[in-house]
Amino acid sequence: MIRFPLPYQVGEAFRPGNADEKLRCEAGAYVWLQENCPALRIPFLYGFGLSTGQRFTALENLPLASRCLGYLLRRLPKWLGYSWLSRYVRHQGPDEVLGGLRTGYLLLDNLIFRIDDDGSLTLQNRPLSLEIQDLENEEIPVDMPRDFTYSTVDSYVADILAFHDGRLRHQPNAIMDDEDGLYQMAALAIMKSLSSQFFRLDLRRGPLVFCLADLHQSNIFVDDNWNIKCLVDLEWACSRPIEMVHPPYWLTSQSVDDINLDQYTELHKEFMDAFQEEERTLDLKDSPP
């Protein structure tokens, strides 16, 4: 399976490099999960390429001699305490990218970490989310540099709320009339004033946790007994404040505005019980004999 970013949907014309940024971050998510969560079955990433013509392939695809050298070079930086190289290495190929199609791609098995130019897996990209590239696709400036990372929850939340300021200023149809404008600005002002109440003070400096921001029913494969067997579509995975990780809203298959509270409460309890049981199982496996 091959995946392409759609330049006209990620704001490539307004902010060149968005498509490649999305590819690097999505590839980084696959690599991090492959290395740190091997028990979690996800599609295998065979390789990926960027619109610049740079190509990366898995070490397993190289000849034996190159593969052995690659494994050695991959371990050395980690032993020395530097950013460790991923299992994906630069691959030389013809100048044409897929017959002249100037866009990047991911090659996957059918089943805001990022990859640097040298194949290193690094944590040096903004937490790339769908909201960011949706805004940039509408030519709304987002004051979040591409190479910016966050060490505190406060600064991240403040920048997210600032997105709405930019939308009100730059989106032509952001406000329908005077009443709508007053309503939106009042809601934004209140949210800025109360945002600290939604986050714990003792967690303001972390941990920031890696989460799958696009996780929904169609991305989860189960067996006949409803055991989760595979997760697909890891785009928009990034590190966020731990308070932003919460049970899915779609447990009742209802939209957020139409959720039946009684039905959701029952399924939420069942979900959390299963989640806690899984945590206990993992703790037992990790405990020393």
Side-chain angles (χ1 to χ4, degrees), residues 159-216:
D159 281 354
I160 289 179
L161 292 175
F163 292 170
H164 298 281
D165 290 326
R167 184 180 61 82
L168 292 176
R169 291 192 182 101
H170 298 280
Q171 185 174 337
N173 61 346
I175 295 175
M176 305 302 295
D177 51 40
D178 291 346
E179 183 178 355
D180 180 54
L182 290 173
Y183 175 81
Q184 290 194 54
M185 287 187 285
L188 183 56
I190 292 173
M191 192 61 203
K192 288 181 177 180
S193 301
L194 298 179
S195 61
S196 60
Q197 303 301 313
F198 292 88
F199 299 90
R200 287 172 47 178
L201 185 62
D202 58 324
L203 297 177
R204 64 186 303 185
R205 291 180 175 82
L208 303 177
V209 296
F210 186 66
C211 58
L212 305 179
D214 191 35
L215 190 63
H216 51 82

Side-chain angles (χ1 to χ4, degrees), residues 261-279:
L261 187 57
D262 292 334
Q263 294 178 16
Y264 185 83
T265 300
E266 181 180 352
L267 291 175
H268 175 270
K269 183 180 185 305
E270 182 180 349
F271 175 87
M272 294 305 298
D273 289 344
F275 200 89
Q276 291 171 357
E277 180 61 31
E278 187 66 22
E279 283 186 327

Side-chain angles (χ1 to χ4, degrees), residues 44-47 57-63 67 88:
F44 181 76
L45 178 65
Y46 289 106
T57 187
L59 282 173
E60 293 85 347
N61 300 330
L62 297 178
R67 195 185 319 158
Y88 296 88

Side-chain angles (χ1 to χ4, degrees), residues 11-53:
E12 181 70 18
F14 177 69
R15 190 169 187 185
N18 271 5
D20 281 349
E21 179 191 14
K22 181 179 183 296
L23 279 171
R24 289 180 186 270
C25 292
E26 188 171 352
Y30 280 98
V31 173
W32 191 88
L33 287 173
Q34 287 170 356
E35 294 286 341
N36 295 276
C37 305
L40 177 63
R41 190 182 175 208
I42 59 175
F44 181 76
L45 178 65
Y46 289 106
F48 63 97
L50 305 176
S51 63
T52 57

Side-chain angles (χ1 to χ4, degrees), residues 99-169:
L101 183 62
R102 303 302 298 180
T103 187
Y105 58 90
L106 292 173
L107 288 174
L108 297 167
D109 186 357
N110 277 321
L111 299 172
I112 254 247
F113 295 94
R114 55 171 263 176
I115 301 290
D116 276 351
D117 290 341
D118 60 357
S120 299
L121 180 66
T122 59
L123 186 60
Q124 58 179 30
N125 201 91
R126 60 182 177 175
L128 185 63
S129 63
L130 175 61
E131 295 81 8
I132 291 176
Q133 292 203 330
D134 263 353
L135 289 170
E136 292 180 335
N137 193 46
E138 296 292 333
E139 300 189 3
I140 299 172
V142 173
D143 188 19
M144 186 182 287
R146 190 169 286 145
D147 59 352
F148 193 77
T149 59
Y150 293 88
S151 58
T152 65
V153 172
D154 298 347
S155 57
Y156 177 59
V157 172
D159 281 354
I160 289 179
L161 292 175
F163 292 170
H164 298 281
D165 290 326
R167 184 180 61 82
L168 292 176
R169 291 192 182 101

Side-chain angles (χ1 to χ4, degrees), residues 203-264:
L203 297 177
R204 64 186 303 185
R205 291 180 175 82
L208 303 177
V209 296
F210 186 66
C211 58
L212 305 179
D214 191 35
L215 190 63
H216 51 82
Q217 299 101 312
S218 62
N219 289 342
I220 304 174
F221 290 1
V222 298
D223 60 18
D224 293 338
N225 296 318
W226 294 96
N227 296 307
I228 296 176
K229 306 302 291 184
C230 184
L231 299 179
V232 299
D233 197 0
L234 303 184
E235 63 179 346
W236 313 123
C238 61
S239 296
R240 284 179 164 177
I242 196 169
E243 289 96 341
M244 290 187 173
V245 180
H246 48 76
Y249 70 87
W250 39 257
L251 292 176
T252 59
S253 297
Q254 297 169 324
S255 64
V256 174
D257 294 333
D258 298 324
I259 288 179
N260 182 296
L261 187 57
D262 292 334
Q263 294 178 16
Y264 185 83

